[in-house]
Amino acid sequence: MIRNILTKYSHLNKIYSKYYCKNINLNPKKITLKREEKRLEIEFQNNKTFSYPTEYLRVFSPSIEQVDRLVSNRRYINIVEMKLVGKYALQITFDDLHENGIYSFEYLYELGIKKYSNLKWYLKELKKNNKKRDPLMMKKVKE
């Protein structure tokens, strides 16, 4: 299912560019959630488009509760809901019920630019801390 947030809230698009992002090019032109692909795509006013795996967004959540904490076991996480926050950000709710991160459009742009270096760092940290991307599997209990 593909959902275009800015189509739903298209009347707000002009407001974004007037007031909130310091650089008008960082305002989103189009936001598309591709649930089946577990991916969020954002096209910015400067015509740069970034594709964000949902795992990447969850791991790099700007939530204060995640500061200095390595998030693991989120390979198959998905987005349940997205809400516009004011005129400058998205609040994303994931299917693990994490909803505290508010992703400013500037932060999302930065995540797009740094995606490969951030993912490289993340995979290195998982290995270093003996953690995995895959969800923990429940063990069968012997009766």
Side-chain angles (χ1 to χ4, degrees), residues 4-138:
N4 186 330
I5 297 249
L6 284 185
T7 298
K8 187 175 179 183
Y9 299 101
S10 61
H11 62 285
L12 296 178
N13 204 25
K14 290 179 185 172
I15 296 171
Y16 293 140
S17 58
K18 275 188 176 179
Y19 299 107
Y20 278 89
C21 287
K22 294 173 189 169
N23 181 340
I24 191 169
N25 292 333
L26 299 186
N27 291 306
K29 190 188 302 187
K30 183 177 180 183
I31 300 172
T32 304
L33 175 59
K34 296 183 174 183
R35 277 201 178 103
E36 289 177 10
E37 297 174 30
K38 295 178 176 37
R39 183 166 299 285
L40 176 67
E41 290 182 355
I42 301 178
E43 181 182 356
F44 290 89
Q45 293 293 335
N46 65 358
N47 294 320
K48 286 203 183 269
T49 300
F50 297 107
S51 182
Y52 308 89
T54 53
E55 175 188 16
Y56 177 58
L57 291 171
R58 176 62 177 89
V59 167
F60 288 92
S61 169
S63 170
I64 192 69
E65 67 189 29
Q66 280 194 211
V67 173
D68 296 327
R69 181 172 166 238
L70 182 63
V71 176
S72 59
N73 313 110
R74 299 296 189 271
R75 180 185 293 240
Y76 304 109
I77 197 149
N78 214 339
I79 293 173
V80 176
E81 183 179 20
M82 290 191 301
K83 296 178 188 172
L84 289 169
V85 177
K87 303 162 188 117
Y88 69 97
L90 289 175
Q91 180 180 14
I92 299 174
T93 303
F94 295 91
D95 59 12
D96 67 350
L97 303 183
H98 176 77
E99 62 180 6
N100 296 336
I102 296 189
Y103 297 77
S104 73
F105 296 126
E106 289 181 34
Y107 181 63
L108 286 164
Y109 192 88
E110 182 181 335
L111 285 179
I113 295 287
K114 297 179 178 180
K115 180 169 78 172
Y116 295 105
S117 60
N118 284 346
L119 287 172
K120 185 177 178 180
W121 172 87
Y122 172 61
L123 295 173
K124 183 178 163 186
E125 288 298 306
L126 285 176
K127 187 173 184 176
K128 186 168 93 176
N129 290 286
N130 200 28
K131 295 192 175 197
K132 305 283 184 207
R133 290 176 62 206
D134 291 321
L136 297 171
M137 298 300 220
M138 295 178 58

